Amino acid sequence: MAERVLITGATGMVGRNLVAHPAAHGHEVLAPPRAELDLTDAAAVADYVAWAAPTVVIHAAGKVGGIQANMAAPVDFLDVNTMIGRNVLMAARAARVPRLVNLSSSCVYPARGKNPLTEDQIGTGALEPTNEGYALAKVFAMRLAAFISAEDPELSYKTLIPCNLFGPWDAFSPGRSHLLPAIIDKLHRAKIAGKPEADIWGDGTARREFMYVGDAAEGIWRAVDHFDTVPDVMNLGVGRDHSVNDYYAAVAGVLGWVGRFTHDLSKPVGMAQKLTDVSRQTAWGWAPATPLSDAIARTYDFYREHHS
């Protein structure tokens, strides 16, 4: 059944891929850019949602960045993301929007959580200090969604927790990017400049799980189309991880850069491992389909077209 779907954060990486995904064509999609709707303005958000009267909200908006950005501006990452989450969820509640998909982040898991990270571990331990502000805001939005649903049975607000995502419309600048787009940018520049070396933060043994954003968009649209079958909180991931060193080697292979890696042990690396448990996702009947090498190649094609 076609839905009237409001996507917040439609000009971000996830939002752009949601709008571009073929599944979006089966729905009436509202995707206001920031110039049209300032999500930090509570009154404006409430007015817009009341006017738009969506049957589903996909909340994909937020201030995002890698370790460097999070460490440089923890106040903004906490304040802005809490404000946005509160405004969107409360506006949906006030307008009686029946269904909402809240996109969270795997940073909501405890820094010393047991891997693979199961959904019931959220809130059981201290968060990773390098992105604690962002994580607290995401925990807040997830709990608010749960409280709204518990208080009003006519409103069903669920949370999907994607693992790390990358792909077209990612941020590639060193000050803002996450690991994989940062590697693509760094090794592309090394290749163009003929540099024989590239540095890696830490010893490269930290492990991360990355999913192609096109796969994430497919999973999110599937959640819209099969909303009643989605668990209230569910990880959205690949279910396997790789070391930072492995990701550097994989990107180097796709880009055709041949050189030597050095390790800067003075740099922060975050959690030693962050691998999501995908048992609920598997039981739900979905898994991402794009192999890592193909995802890197597609992302590099986008990078060369738009950034290099």
Side-chain angles (χ1 to χ4, degrees), residues 2-178:
E3 303 280 1
R4 185 171 169 86
V5 183
L6 169 61
I7 299 175
T8 67
T11 57
M13 175 181 67
V14 175
R16 285 179 182 269
N17 281 276
L18 283 168
V19 172
H21 195 276
H25 303 157
H27 302 283
E28 181 184 0
V29 174
L30 301 171
R34 185 178 303 173
E36 183 180 339
L37 178 61
D38 179 1
L39 296 175
T40 65
D41 184 334
V45 177
D47 288 346
Y48 186 94
V49 176
W51 166 81
T55 57
V56 179
V57 170
I58 302 176
H59 178 39
K63 179 180 176 67
V64 298
I67 288 179
Q68 193 172 345
N70 272 268
M71 292 180 68
V75 173
D76 269 1
F77 277 92
L78 174 59
D79 180 49
V80 172
N81 285 300
T82 301
M83 199 182 324
I84 289 173
R86 187 265 176 202
N87 291 346
V88 171
L89 285 157
M90 295 304 287
R93 176 178 181 250
R96 310 293 300 161
V97 177
R99 294 177 295 283
L100 183 144
V101 178
N102 173 52
L103 299 186
S104 189
S105 163
S106 58
C107 70
V108 300
Y109 284 105
R112 296 186 179 182
K114 182 180 178 181
N115 283 266
L117 298 161
T118 54
E119 293 87 347
D120 58 4
Q121 293 186 53
I122 297 168
T124 62
L127 299 165
E128 164 58 37
T130 55
N131 57 14
E132 184 180 8
Y134 180 75
L136 284 169
K138 288 299 183 180
V139 171
F140 164 81
M142 181 175 64
R143 296 308 301 147
L144 181 57
F147 291 157
I148 290 171
S149 295
E151 218 176 76
D152 191 336
E154 293 184 359
L155 305 181
S156 184
Y157 293 0
K158 300 182 178 184
T159 293
L160 299 180
I161 308 174
C163 66
N164 297 304
L165 304 177
F166 76 104
W169 304 109
D170 214 333
F172 294 91
S173 59
R176 295 183 57 234
S177 57
H178 291 94

Side-chain angles (χ1 to χ4, degrees), residues 184-192 255 300 303-304 308:
I184 289 171
D185 179 72
K186 182 185 294 186
L187 296 191
H188 172 80
R189 293 178 185 277
K191 177 182 176 181
I192 296 302
L255 272 59
Y300 186 47
Y303 171 86
R304 285 189 295 177
S308 66

